[in-house]
């Protein structure tokens, strides 16, 4: 506690007046004592002669000297500082009465049990009513504690200014309270513009998963490992899908008696390119394995036409919902020698209802009634792959689009790959996807062309065997 009342100072009653009887409110010195004892920093004060006038509880905790033992002593010599260091220490402290502002020093103080503590002090003059120095105060703390505090402050400033990953402080209402520069760039918004806004206004997709993670951290604490969350960020060029690797920490007030959550510290790093690379590598491995397995299975088929359907069935896994094989009517086409319009005969198709193996078709040899400009006919004419999609239309219009092209009604994306063997065009293989899948990309066309080469070789072999 503060020892200002035990230091010989008097209050307004004077030294000879009796103390008031009965309960009274706190006077100025009681309030000062309470304030000093509630400080987190150690504090002592000296009068103009260098006599200790105040000594709070934190100073007692650090050095072990009580207020009764400290107040009234002249300087630190002989008890809180070694005799050899006393002159230098007191000179640096008392010089603060003549210097403007605060003076910062570091030196070793003695504890009551004889130990030494390295402290960092801040000293400043205390002015009297006439403006002249009437004494000084000295606030001090252990150097390691001060360094820890400075490190924490420096870390916070670095995270919110120079960090190479996004840092966002989210309050208990799941609204950003502080956003660093990297996070603002990732969100495509200014640092101040993001403050206090719901996350749903900052992200187009992925808000529910992110808010669920933040709510879990507020209730249960930080997760044991980072989480990867896919989001869509609104930009001037439209929504961009990004993958963020996120870490979360729960923030609690150090001043509350019980831990009260202040919010969540959310740190994230954009790993979209790495994640897409992993997905593409995994997809490539899977498709390569499917081609290998299909080749081994097709090698055991006596009928080459059965081998063609085996390749088709293996290609469907994870790639498309339906597939069709159409062969050029009247035999293979040699480049530059086609006469009249091209007609295609259905050779095999996957069931349009329940999943199952491809079924042979077209025994009657009747051409499929494809309209002019059909993607399969374009594929034959160009001798290259053709992609088609219905676009953003109503479900009934999408069904009409598919049925008009002689495809299953749930088809919305199509990829046609030409069947080529020995320099001739044998037909077309068509892969179809429903509404639950994305449209075909260039990498999908490359895979379809690999499958088409194998199907074409099997159909060409079937023709040779049939003639023999």
């Amino acid at each position: 506690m503060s020892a200002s009342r035990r230091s010989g100072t008097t209050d307004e009653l004077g030294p000879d007046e009796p103390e008031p009887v009965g309960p009274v409110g706190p006077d100025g010195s009681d309030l000062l004592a309470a304030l000093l004892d509630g400080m987190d920093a150690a504090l002592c004060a000296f009068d103009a002669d260098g006599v200790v006038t105040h000594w709070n509880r934190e100073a007692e905790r650090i050095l072990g000297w009580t207020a009764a033992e400290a107040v009234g002593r002249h300087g630190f010599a002989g008890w809180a500082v070694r005799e050899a260091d006393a002159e230098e220490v007191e000179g640096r402290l008392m010089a603060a009465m003549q210097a403007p502002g605060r003076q910062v020093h570091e030196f070793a103080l003695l504890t009551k049990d004889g130990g030494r503590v390295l402290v960092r002090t801040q000293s400043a003059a205390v002015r009297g009513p006439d403006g002249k120095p009437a004494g000084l105060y000295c606030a001090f703390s252990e150097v390691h504690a001060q360094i820890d505090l400075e490190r924490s402050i420096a870390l916070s400033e670095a995270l919110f200014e120079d960090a190479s990953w996004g840092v966002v402080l989210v309050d208990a209402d799941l609204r950003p309270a502080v956003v660093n520069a990297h996070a603002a760039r990732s969100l495509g918004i200014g640092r101040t513009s993001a403050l206090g806004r719901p996350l749903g206004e900052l992200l187009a997709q992925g808000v529910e998963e992110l808010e669920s993670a933040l709510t879990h951290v507020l209730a249960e604490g930080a997760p044991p490992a980072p989480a990867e969350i896919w989001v869509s960020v609104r930009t001037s060029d439209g929504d961009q899908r990004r993958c963020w690797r996120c870490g979360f920490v729960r923030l609690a007030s150090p001043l509350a008696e019980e831990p009260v959550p202040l919010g969540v510290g959310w740190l994230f790093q954009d790993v979209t390119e790495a994640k897409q690379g992993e997905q593409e590598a995994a997809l490539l491995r899977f498709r390569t394995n499917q081609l290998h397995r299909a080749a081994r299975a097709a090698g055991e088929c006596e009928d080459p036409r059965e081998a063609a359907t085996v390749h088709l069935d293996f290609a469907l896994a994870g790639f498309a919902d339906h597939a069709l094989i159409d062969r050029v009517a009247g035999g293979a086409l040699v480049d530059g020698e086609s006469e009249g319009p091209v007609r295609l005969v259905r050779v095999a198709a996957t069931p349009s209802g329940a999943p199952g193996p491809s079924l042979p078709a077209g025994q009657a040899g009747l051409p499929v009634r494809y309209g002019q400009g059909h993607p399969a006919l374009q594929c034959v004419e160009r001798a290259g792959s053709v992609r088609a999609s219905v676009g953003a239309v109503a479900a009934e219009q999408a069904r009409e689009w598919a049925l008009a092209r002689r495809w299953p009604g749930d088809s919305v994306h199509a990829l046609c790959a030409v069947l080529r063997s020995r320099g001739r065009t044998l037909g077309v293989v068509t892969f179809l996807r429903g509404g639950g899948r994305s449209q075909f990309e260039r990498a999908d066309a490359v895979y379809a062309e690999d499958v088409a080469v194998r199907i074409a070789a099997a159909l060409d072999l079937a023709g040779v065997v049939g003639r023999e």
Side-chain angles (χ1 to χ4, degrees):
M1 62 175 287
S2 170
S4 59
R5 295 184 66 84
R6 292 198 296 270
S7 64
T9 60
T10 59
D11 55 23
E12 295 180 357
L13 293 175
D16 298 327
E17 298 182 26
E19 293 284 342
V21 179
V24 294
D27 61 11
S29 59
D30 289 333
L31 178 58
L32 178 59
L35 290 174
L36 294 179
D37 288 340
M39 293 177 61
D40 291 331
L43 185 136
C44 64
F46 302 86
D47 61 16
D49 297 325
V51 176
V52 179
T53 59
H54 295 78
W55 190 265
N56 73 347
R57 290 189 184 276
E58 184 65 12
E60 178 180 340
R61 186 193 68 80
I62 294 176
L63 298 180
W65 300 98
T66 65
E69 294 170 324
V71 172
R73 292 179 179 265
H74 189 281
F76 285 155
W79 63 287
V81 174
R82 294 191 310 171
E83 289 288 352
D85 300 331
E87 182 177 353
E88 178 188 359
V89 171
E90 291 185 13
R92 292 162 69 181
L93 285 176
M94 300 308 291
M97 284 198 295
Q98 308 301 328
R102 292 180 298 176
Q103 303 295 308
V104 179
H105 302 287
E106 289 184 6
F107 42 76
L109 296 181
L110 293 178
T111 63
K112 187 176 180 179
D113 58 7
R116 300 182 71 194
V117 178
L118 184 63
V119 299
R120 178 173 296 175
T121 66
Q122 294 187 29
S123 305
V126 178
R127 307 286 175 179
D130 57 357
K132 296 181 179 180
L136 64 92
Y137 76 84
C138 175
F140 62 91
S141 60
E142 298 174 82
V143 167
H144 70 82
Q146 183 71 19
I147 291 176
D148 288 344
L149 176 61
E150 292 178 1
R151 283 174 178 160
S152 298
I153 296 174
L155 175 61
S156 298
E157 293 181 350
L159 286 175
F160 288 106
E161 295 297 335
D162 305 322
S164 59
W165 55 86
V167 181
V168 181
L169 296 189
V170 182
D171 63 20
D173 294 329
L174 305 185
R175 295 171 183 258
V178 184
V179 179
N180 78 338
H182 190 281
R185 289 193 299 270
S186 299
L187 292 168
I189 194 171
R191 294 183 63 178
T192 57
S193 302
L195 304 184
R197 297 176 60 181
L199 294 174
E201 296 182 6
L202 305 178
L203 299 174
Q205 294 180 357
V207 178
E208 295 81 3
E209 186 175 1
L210 178 58
E211 289 184 342
S212 176
L214 294 171
T215 303
H216 173 81
V217 174
L218 283 172
E220 305 292 338
E228 292 179 351
I229 300 178
W230 283 92
V231 300
S232 291
V233 182
R234 296 186 178 93
T235 67
S236 57
D237 299 328
D239 295 346
Q240 290 187 356
R241 188 162 171 79
R242 313 301 296 173
C243 181
W244 290 344
R245 181 169 293 151
C246 304
F248 303 94
V249 290
R250 181 167 60 179
L251 305 178
S253 173
L255 304 178
E257 295 182 3
E258 297 181 0
V260 178
L262 294 178
V264 177
W266 168 33
L267 295 84
F268 66 90
Q269 190 174 25
D270 194 321
V271 294
T272 306
E273 294 183 2
K275 200 66 180 176
Q276 289 176 341
E278 293 176 3
Q279 292 176 346
E280 291 173 0
L283 183 60
L284 180 60
R285 286 194 300 271
F286 173 76
R287 290 178 175 177
T288 301
N289 289 336
Q290 287 296 98
L291 291 174
H292 175 72
R293 293 171 61 195
R296 290 177 61 89
E300 302 299 324
C301 298
E302 295 183 6
D303 186 351
R305 287 169 294 188
E306 182 184 355
T309 60
V310 166
H311 283 292
L312 191 67
D313 292 334
F314 273 93
L316 274 180
F319 182 67
D321 298 315
H322 307 289
L324 315 169
I325 298 178
D326 297 325
R327 188 161 186 176
V328 176
L333 293 177
V334 179
D335 295 345
E337 296 183 4
S338 60
E339 298 179 0
V342 176
R343 296 181 302 167
L344 298 175
V345 177
R346 182 69 44 82
V347 175
T350 55
S352 59
S358 301
L359 302 176
Q363 286 82 359
L366 298 177
V368 184
R369 293 185 295 113
Y370 286 148
Q372 186 176 3
H374 191 282
L377 298 178
Q378 294 182 33
C379 180
V380 173
E381 293 171 359
R382 300 176 185 177
S385 299
V386 174
R387 286 176 283 172
S389 293
V390 65
V393 298
E396 187 59 33
Q397 290 179 305
R399 180 176 176 81
E400 293 175 359
W401 177 85
L403 295 178
R405 286 157 179 76
R406 307 300 171 183
W407 294 333
D410 59 345
S411 303
V412 296
H413 306 297
L415 171 59
C416 298
V418 65
L419 302 177
R420 299 273 297 178
S421 178
R422 294 190 294 161
R424 301 171 304 152
T425 300
L426 276 64
V428 180
V429 58
T430 302
F431 295 98
L432 302 167
R433 287 178 177 175
R437 293 176 179 265
S438 61
Q439 61 183 351
F440 290 99
E441 303 292 342
R442 177 56 191 158
D444 298 324
V446 172
Y447 178 62
E449 290 166 0
D450 285 343
V451 176
V453 168
R454 290 163 170 77
I455 294 176
L459 293 179
D460 196 10
L461 178 61
V464 173
V465 172
R467 287 194 299 272
E468 292 178 352

